[in-house]
Amino acid sequence: MKPELSIIIPIYNEQDGLASLFARLYPALDALQTSYEIIFVNDGSRDNSVAILAEQFRQRPDVTRVVLFNGNYGQHMAILAGFEASRGQIMVTLDADLQNPPEEIGNLVAKMREGYDYVGSIRRKRQDSAWRTLASKMMNRLREKITNIKITDQGNMLRAYGRNVIDLVNQCAEVNTFVPALAYTFARKPTEITVEHEERSAGESKYSLYSLIRLNFDLVTGFSLIPLQIFSMLGMLLSFSSAVLVIYLLARRFLFGAEAQGVFTLFAIAFFLMGVILFGIGLVGEYVGRIFQQVRARPRYVVQTILQDGMVQAEAEAASYVRLEKRQVGR
């Protein structure tokens, strides 16, 4: 029988916090008194996460499934793999760090039952550093203006999706994407609710500054052409301004003769224009790079195996995979 609820949780080097996650997640879902499955997607963890997940599968094989990647493909690829493996009518994505309390899942499910097919969440009081919170809010506003995707808290992964939305997401073959925004574009009746936010139970954030920048580029370039259009208009404006400046300088040359003044101003203008040009080339390169990755048609991720109820062979393969991971970590 297909469960009503599927929980998708990407895992990357979360060995220190998995016990706390299990201790809160399963009781929270049991209290909902509905059929559910939990899909853990191991995104190439280098610690002991795989062994811990395999042990949890052996303890609760009726509701636990584990998807093992053969490498690290990123959080959003792990979520997409969870979507493809899911069987429920309602999908909820959750981070493993417990910053989003599992007890909030019931509120999302209740909202979905009201007829919505996409329920986002807004953190009531973020437990992040002040600079990160401020930067996130500023980027959220900028991305909303550029992409016209109205997601208040775009960095929060605690969200619920209907089966109709996930079926459409599963048909997409984008190499790089931002899952909440992609799902939002397919939702017929989206909404948001406010949820609690806690400090990380263990470990540290897996998102480096570079990863956050890349994520923002994926979101902007994947859902909007406005940056290219802005630079096209900026190019026309600068071309017109340059023509006016040349005419002005020629007029001064004929009226006042050769002048030494203004050399540094011209240098400043030249360097500014070169900076704009280089930034524009980089922006175009982002779009071209996405096209290049897409036309190669390589798999977005490779699944090593899936642990699920009734698959003894898969469990044996996972055991060998765990032994291989241990040897690699030991090195």
Side-chain angles (χ1 to χ4, degrees), residues 245 260-272:
L245 179 61
Q261 295 84 358
V263 174
F264 292 105
T265 301
L266 290 178
F267 273 119
I269 294 174
F271 284 127
F272 169 74

Side-chain angles (χ1 to χ4, degrees), residues 6-283:
S6 295
I7 311 297
I8 293 94
I9 305 177
I11 303 294
Y12 180 66
N13 295 341
E14 297 286 356
Q15 65 174 12
D16 296 331
L18 286 178
S20 300
L21 174 65
F22 300 153
R24 294 178 59 178
L25 178 62
Y26 285 87
L29 295 176
D30 290 335
L32 298 180
Q33 297 183 346
T34 187
S35 57
Y36 69 88
E37 65 177 358
I38 304 174
I39 303 174
F40 297 100
V41 184
N42 178 63
D43 187 25
S45 297
R46 298 177 181 273
D47 59 5
N48 205 35
S49 296
V50 177
I52 298 173
L53 293 173
E55 178 60 29
Q56 183 63 25
F57 165 73
R58 284 189 285 269
Q59 294 182 12
R60 295 290 303 270
D62 54 328
V63 294
T64 305
R65 304 171 70 197
V66 182
V67 178
L68 301 176
F69 281 176
N70 73 337
N72 178 247
Y73 296 93
Q75 180 189 37
H76 290 266
M77 291 300 106
I79 291 174
L80 291 175
F83 284 163
E84 291 190 358
S86 65
R87 299 172 295 192
Q89 293 302 307
I90 300 175
M91 265 63 60
V92 175
T93 56
L94 179 71
D95 286 334
D97 56 16
L98 287 178
Q99 285 196 290
N100 294 126
E103 294 79 10
E104 295 284 357
I105 293 176
N107 296 327
L108 272 71
V109 173
K111 201 67 177 179
M112 288 287 292
R113 288 172 177 168
E114 294 179 11
Y116 297 97
D117 58 358
Y118 176 103
V119 180
S121 62
I122 306 169
R123 288 168 281 195
R124 190 186 309 276
K125 185 178 180 181
R126 293 188 57 169
Q127 300 299 318
D128 293 326
S129 60
W131 74 267
R132 184 162 184 170
T133 301
L134 178 61
S136 178
K137 290 181 178 179
M138 293 175 60
M139 287 304 304
N140 285 346
R141 292 193 183 98
L142 178 61
R143 288 190 301 244
E144 182 177 328
K145 295 292 184 181
I146 294 176
T147 63
N148 201 31
I149 295 176
K150 302 183 185 303
I151 300 177
T152 303
D153 193 351
Q154 298 185 22
N156 196 19
M157 292 308 297
L158 179 60
R159 302 178 187 277
Y161 310 90
R163 170 53 64 181
N164 62 306
V165 173
I166 297 306
D167 286 342
L168 292 172
V169 170
N170 288 339
Q171 294 178 28
C172 298
E174 299 178 41
V175 175
N176 294 308
T177 191
F178 187 78
V179 173
L182 181 63
Y184 180 89
T185 61
F186 296 131
R188 295 191 302 265
K189 192 178 180 183
T191 189
E192 295 179 329
I193 64 173
T194 302
V195 298
E196 298 298 333
H197 190 239
E198 301 177 0
E199 295 183 0
R200 290 182 62 89
S201 62
E204 58 185 16
S205 175
K206 306 304 185 297
Y207 273 103
S208 63
L209 178 61
Y210 174 76
S211 298
L212 292 173
I213 293 174
R214 286 297 325 150
L215 190 63
N216 283 294
F217 269 119
D218 287 340
L219 179 57
V220 171
T221 60
F223 295 91
S224 176
L225 294 176
I226 289 180
L228 287 179
Q229 295 166 350
I230 290 176
F231 263 88
S232 295
M233 292 184 288
L234 181 61
M236 290 186 290
L237 177 62
L238 290 176
S239 297
F240 176 77
S241 301
S242 299
V244 172
L245 179 61
V246 168
I247 294 173
Y248 171 73
L249 292 176
L250 285 175
R252 289 188 63 88
R253 172 79 176 189
F254 287 119
L255 292 175
F256 304 106
E259 295 178 305
Q261 295 84 358
V263 174
F264 292 105
T265 301
L266 290 178
F267 273 119
I269 294 174
F271 284 127
F272 169 74
L273 294 178
M274 284 190 289
V276 172
I277 291 171
L278 290 175
F279 186 80
I281 292 174
L283 180 63

Side-chain angles (χ1 to χ4, degrees), residues 296-314:
R296 288 187 302 182
R298 295 180 182 177
R300 295 183 295 181
Y301 50 82
V302 178
V303 175
Q304 179 84 11
T305 189
I306 300 178
L307 289 181
Q308 56 187 4
D309 193 17
M311 294 185 64
V312 179
Q313 180 62 31

